[in-house]
Structures are given as C-alpha cells and as structure tokens.
C-alpha cells in the first residue's frame, strides 16, 4: 500500500481517450470471448452437458441413420450392378393385374428357344439367354445339397457378365450336343466339395451325372438376401432332354434373359421384343401378351429410390431432434442471460460494447452446439460401427454427413443463440447492474 | 459558474466535467419520481471531491450519470467538453472503458474470475493482448498490496481485499476520472481509512480526478471540495469546512441567496 500508486501514463492525449474514437473492432475480442465461453460453460458442466444432450442425440441420430441409409443403398447398388446392367427378363405367361406375372408351376411355358434366337438378332441386343430354373438336390459322392439349377445357353454368361474364375464356361457346341457339363457357384462348390478343387468332379442332378468344368467367382447377396453363389448352371439342351424329361416341354423355356447395349436402348428394345414375340406367337390385336417383360434396371432404380426415401426420412427424424436440441440451447441461454444480468451490467460498466456482449453469448451458444455436435459425431460413428456387426451389410459414414452435421449445428447455434445474445446486448448498463 | 472563493482549481484549463441542469426522473407506480432536480456543477481535472447527503438524496443517481452508466432525463452532461447525449453507444462504451474507473459499494467483481482476471477484464475490451493484460493486472494488484492474491477468487478474499481488487480494476485502463460510490460503506473503519489513503495518493501523485460518495465527515474532510445533495438538489458546494461536514448551511447556492 505504500508503493507509488500512480501507474505510468501510457495513453495518448486525454482528449483522444475521452472521446475514444479509436475503438478496437470486435475482432480482437474473439479470442478472449472464446476463452470466456469455455470458462463459463465448464463452470457449469452438468448444465452444459444436459443442454448439449439434445444436440448430441440429434447429431448421433443423423450420423447413424445416414450411415445405415448409405449402407442399405450401397448394398442395393451392389445387388443391382451384380444383376448385370441393362437387363430385360422375358417371362412365359401373361402379366397379372397385380403387377407380377403368372409363372406358376405347371403352367405351360410359351417361350421357345427359337424366340430367344430371334430376340438375339434384334438390333441393340447384346445377348439373349433362354433360361429355366428349378430347385434340385445335387449329389457329389456322399454329399448332397439343395441348390438352384439354372439351365441355359452360353449367352447366359454374357448376359450376367459373370464368367468362371476357374475352369471355363460351356461352349455353344457343348450346349447343342447336350454335353453333360456344369458350371457351379462358390456356395455350391463349398457345400459339395469343401476346400478341394471341384473342377473335373462329378455331380448328379436328378440322377444324371455332369462333370464340373467351371467355378463362378463370388457374387454375394441379391435383392431380398438370396445367395446368388448357391447355383448350378447346366447346358439347356442337356437338361431339356435329360433332366426335365423332354416331351411336351422340349424347346420351351420359362424365361429369356436379354442384355441390351445401352441404357437408352432399353425402352425401344422392350417394345421391339413385344412386337417380335406377338408376331411369332401369332397373337391378334385383341389378344393379351402371353409373356411379360421385366426391366431389372427400372426395378433396381425403384428400389434405390425407395431406400433413398427411407434414408431421407431417417435423416429428417434426426434433423427434427437437432432443431429440438437448438431450442434447448436457446432456452438455457435465455435462462443464463437472466441469471447473469448483473455480470452483463458489470461488463458494460467496464466498457464492454454491446457487440462484445452479443459475441460472448453467441459464442457460448455456438460452443454448446459445436461441442454437442462433436460428441454426437463420435457417438453416432460408434453406433454405426456397432450396427455393422448386427446388420447384414456394412454401414457407411460419409465424410459429407459429418461436415454437414457440423455446418448445421453451427447454424443452429447461431440461429438459436442470436435471440438470447441480443437480449443480453440490449440491456441498459445501469438496469443490468441494479438487478 | 459557482466556484467557491477559497477553492482554487487544482489545474487550469477547461473543466473535465460539466453538469448543466441535470434532471433524472424515475417512473414508478405513483407516477414519476424526480431523483435529481436540476443539478449543475463543474469539476476540474485533478480535483478530489466528496459528495455527501442523506440516504435517498440522489447521490448514486448522480454518480451513475457522471459514470456514463445512465442518462439524464433533462439537462446536459459534458465530459471533457463533449456532450454525452450526442455520443454513440460505442463511444459511450469506450468512454466507460478508457476514461472512467468506477468503484462500487458492492465491489461488483465477477465471482467466477480470479483477482487477476477481474482486474484484466477492462483491458480485454480495450483490446490489449493477453500477455499485456496479465502483466498490467499483476502490477496493479501489487500496487494495492495484493501481489500474493492474484489467483484468488473474490469469495476467497476479505471485503477490504475485494474492494482493493475493484480499485485495481478501476485503475487498469489508467482512467482520468475515478468514481467511487460509498467505497468504504461495506468496510470496517481501518480498512476504509486504507482505501481512502489510496484514493488520496492517486489524486495527489497521479493527478487522477476523484469523486467519492461518503457519509463519513472524516473522509470528506480529507478532500478539496464537498458537494452536499438533498432531495435531488445541490445544497452546498465548497471546501470541507466544519459546517459543511456537519451538514449545516455553509455555502449555499442555487435557490438560496447568500
Ligand atoms: N431505478 C429506480 N427506480 C425508481 N426509483 C429509484 C431508482 N433508483 C433510485 N431511485 C430513487 O431515487 C432516489 C435517489 O436514489 P439514489 O440516487 O440511489 O440515492 P442515494 O444514493 O443518495 O442513497 C431514491 O428515492 C430512490 O428510491
Ligand atoms: Mg447510493
């Protein structure tokens, strides 16, 4: 107390300070006010944590939902691309009013191998594979396995763009000569032969022996969770004669898979096939089609749009919780402004401009939303990783969704912090001090 | 200008403060209440001035107007020749920040901040760097005898220590005018005397203009000039003669002819 009290006068002339025209802008206050916000929020950790909870849950929900949605979409995309692109399936039997097609067992197939050859000659058709499929018990030595048997021509491998990774596909010659050869999928190979090489082995389908000449590469799940690697592909002629017993069904097939050159050619080709088949089947203009054509790309797109809509819905639910979280922040910030009116008055008495007071409370709101968002991203990511273990497909966290979560949270912090911050800044210094 | 004959202005030149017919009305349920009713006075740079008067007479109202915390209902308040009613909000904030130090009866420290951070707070708004702020805060706390308490929260300090932190804070920006509204009112006599000695030293050594509100005639006796207020009017303005301190009619002006 005895030390000299007078601080050295370092200021410019008194008149300059009294009028203080050289007010520092708001920018140099950013750092100190940020530190203040951290201090204020950590001084009341429980309340800050509870306030952030809304943001945490909202962001975690958005991240998780989008990760699952992306996962579903990725799965669907894989399924669709695995189906083979630009694929038309022509089925025997009239289209039903319900939208499906009648293909009931026992109904007589209306498509023939000649139809398939005629379709293959159409412009824009890459390949057309007549196909009949049925479930059958396949036997290899002591082992047997119920699998899907597809009987077709070599064009099928082109249509599916699926070629053996080991061995080879059967040739057109082998198909015509009804060679007893088979190409099998990974699941069938594993079930029948375990780890040993299936090439050259014998399998029996409905009592007839076939030699395995090719092994198809893994293709994974199809739409609806079908295991597409659980398959045996046989030459059509061989199976027409030997497996299905021939007779009335000779040269008739259940369906024809058609690969079209470009996506744009899909619709014209669909129309061209309809014309061709109506002519070949001798249908009069009054008759209904005795076949139906399914555009798998269109089906896939519909499926994709549906899953896209589901992702959007899930995201929207998360978005609503974000807004609710923002309102929670506004609520607490309003309480905080009321509680700290005296503090605001003191700051103003010490020369805080209104803009600085607004900045301080805005930064607090922003901090709540950003920190809440960061916690939400961590929790959402953790849950998404966890979900991958339980879902039949991996969840995908897109960096864009994380960036968007932060951007939206910042916007919510500013939007819902603005009103309380403005309320604080509008206080009159003396009234705030008196509170 | 009513300058008392014996009260030689401590500095020549224009007045630091000029109050011209200040009126302050408060709205209340029973209509409006006139807390200040035409207060006029000038204060020259370097004066040490005591404002006295009974409770409710309008002393705090006057101090708040001089401190640019409140605005008068009528009349003009000029700071350093500039009419504060024409100044922008930002300019008023800068005035409070750079030119005026305010010491409150209730200290008004921020409870969450350490003594050092409380003292440094006005410097935040003055735009000083963190290093400069803390260095200056430590220097000022040492000057008020609290070098060993820089990290303490207000709740860990005695009333006298808190008031000294508040004084260090008021001095942080090196103000030209120090306002103290009953600074010793909440303190015991001995601490009050220490605080007063501090003000006196500041005024004498650094030529800081000091205005303090006090009920204590002993405190007022140590000043250059006493202004008595009653019912919102100045009833005395002159040197601290025994009659002035006793509240009697010493040097009357405004309404009362000598
Ligand atoms: N905000 C206010 N609203 C209404 N009346 C007030 C307000 N502040 C002070 N007053 C009244 O104004 C008068 C002067 O108050 P004040 O300046 O605080 O007196 P002092 O500081 O001399 O004790 C008192 O009668 C008080 O009740
Ligand atoms: Mg008072």
């Amino acid at each position: 107390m005895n030390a000299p009290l007078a601080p050295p006068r370092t200021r410019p002339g008194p008149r300059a300070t009294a009028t203080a025209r050289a007010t520092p802008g708001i920018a140099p206050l950013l750092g100190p006010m940020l530190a203040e916000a951290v201090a204020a929020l950590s001084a009341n950790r429980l309340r800050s944590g509870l306030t952030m909870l809304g943001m945490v849950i909202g962001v975690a929900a958005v991240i998780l939902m989008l990760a699952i949605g992306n996962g579903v979409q990725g799965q669907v995309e894989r399924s669709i691309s695995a189906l083979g692109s630009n694929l038309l399936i022509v089925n025997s039997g009239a289209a039903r009013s319900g939208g499906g097609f009648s293909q009931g067992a026992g109904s007589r197939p209306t498509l023939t191998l000649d139809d398939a050859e005629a379709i293959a000659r159409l412009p824009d058709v890459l390949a057309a594979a007549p196909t009949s499929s049925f479930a059958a018990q396949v036997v290899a030595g002591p082992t047997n396995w119920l699998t899907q048997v597809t009987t077709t021509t070599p064009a099928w491998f082109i249509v599916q763009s699926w070629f053996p990774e080991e061995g080879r596909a059967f040739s057109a010659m082998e198909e015509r000569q009804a060679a007893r050869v088979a190409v099998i999928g990974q699941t069938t190979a594993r079930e029948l032969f375990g780890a040993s090489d299936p090439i050259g082995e014998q399998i029996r389908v409905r009592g007839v022996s076939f030699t395995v000449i090719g092994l198809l590469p893994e293709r994974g799940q199809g739409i609806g969770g079908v295991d597409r690697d659980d398959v045996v592909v046989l030459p059509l002629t061989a199976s027409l004669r030997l497996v299905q017993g021939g007779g009335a069904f000779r040269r008739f097939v259940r369906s024809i898979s058609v690969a079209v050159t470009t996506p744009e050619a899909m619709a014209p080709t669909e129309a061209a096939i309809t014309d061709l088949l109506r002519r070949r089947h001798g249908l009069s203009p009054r008759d209904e089609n005795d076949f139906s054509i399914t555009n798998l790309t269109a089906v896939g797109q519909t499926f994709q749009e549906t899953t896209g809509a589901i992702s959007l819905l899930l995201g929207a639910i998360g978005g609503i919780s974000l807004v609710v979280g923002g309102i929670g922040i506004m609520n607490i910030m309003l309480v905080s402004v009321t509680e700290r009116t005296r503090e605001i008055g003191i700051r103003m008495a010490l020369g805080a401009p209104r803009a600085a007071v607004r900045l301080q409370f805005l930064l607090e709101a922003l901090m709540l939303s950003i920190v809440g968002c960061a916690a939400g991203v961590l929790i959402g990511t953790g849950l998404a990783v966890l979900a991958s273990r339980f879902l039949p497909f991996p969840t995908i966290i897109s960096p864009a969704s994380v960036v968007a979560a932060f951007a939206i949270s910042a916007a919510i912090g500013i939007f819902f912090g603005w009103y309380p911050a403005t309320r604080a800044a509008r206080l009159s210094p003396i009234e705030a001090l008196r509170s | 200008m009513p300058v008392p004959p014996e009260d030689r202005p401590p500095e020549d030149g224009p007045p630091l403060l000029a109050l011209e017919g200040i009126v302050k009305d408060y709205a209340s349920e029973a209509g409006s209440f006139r807390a200040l009713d035409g207060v006029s006075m000038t204060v020259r740079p370097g004066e040490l001035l005591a404002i006295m008067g009974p409770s409710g007479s309008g002393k705090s109202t006057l101090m708040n107007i001089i401190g640019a915390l409140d605005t008068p209902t009528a009349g003009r308040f000029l700071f350093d020749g500039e009419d504060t009613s024409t100044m922008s909000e930002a300019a008023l904030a800068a005035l409070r920040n750079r030119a005026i130090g305010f010491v409150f009866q209730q200290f008004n420290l921020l409870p969450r901040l350490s003594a050092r951070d409380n003292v440094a707070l006005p410097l935040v708004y003055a735009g000083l760097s963190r290093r400069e702020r803390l260095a200056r805060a430590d220097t000022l706390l040492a000057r008020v005898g609290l070098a060993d308490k820089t990290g303490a929260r207000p709740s860990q300090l005695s009333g006298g220590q808190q008031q000294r932190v508040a004084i260090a804070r008021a001095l942080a920006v090196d103000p030209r005018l120090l306002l103290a509204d009953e600074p010793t009112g909440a303190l015991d006599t001995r601490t009050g005397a220490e605080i007063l000695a501090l003000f006196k030293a500041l005024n004498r050594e650094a030529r800081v203009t000091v205005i303090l509100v006090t009920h204590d005639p002993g405190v007022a006796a140590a000043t250059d000039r006493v202004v008595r207020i009653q019912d919102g009017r100045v009833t005395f303005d002159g040197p601290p003669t025994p009659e002035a301190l006793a509240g009697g009619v010493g040097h009357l002006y405004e309404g009362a002819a000598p």
Side-chain angles (χ1 to χ4, degrees), chain A residues 366-415:
Chain A
L366 200 57
M367 189 92 72
L368 281 172
S369 64
I370 293 286
V371 174
C373 175
V377 166
L378 285 180
I379 292 174
T381 305
L383 289 178
V385 169
L386 208 65
S388 285
R389 295 195 183 174
F390 300 106
L391 294 172
F393 54 85
T395 55
I396 301 167
I397 296 162
S398 71
S401 69
V402 174
V403 171
F406 274 104
I408 291 171
S409 300
I412 281 178
I414 291 173
F415 183 82

Side-chain angles (χ1 to χ4, degrees), chain A residues 5 11 18-19 342 347 350, chain B residues 82 95 97 108 125 174 198:
Chain A
L5 289 151
R11 290 180 291 99
T19 52
R342 191 175 181 81
R347 287 175 183 275
L350 297 178
Chain B
E82 191 170 351
L95 185 70
N97 184 224
N108 276 346
Y125 299 111
D174 188 13
L198 201 59

Side-chain angles (χ1 to χ4, degrees), chain A residues 315-350:
Chain A
I317 291 169
I320 290 169
S321 37
L322 274 183
V323 170
V324 172
I327 293 171
I329 289 179
M330 176 156 76
N331 191 18
I332 288 299
M333 289 307 295
L334 282 172
V335 171
S336 174
V337 167
T338 308
E339 280 177 353
R340 287 156 68 191
T341 303
R342 191 175 181 81
E343 174 191 329
I344 296 164
I346 293 170
R347 287 175 183 275
M348 284 179 159
L350 297 178

Side-chain angles (χ1 to χ4, degrees), chain A residues 434, chain B residues 26-28 33 35 54-62 181-182:
Chain A
R434 271 200 204 107
Chain B
Y26 287 117
S28 68
F33 175 80
S55 183
S57 56
K59 305 181 296 293
S60 293
T61 305
L62 183 62
D181 191 353
E182 300 191 39

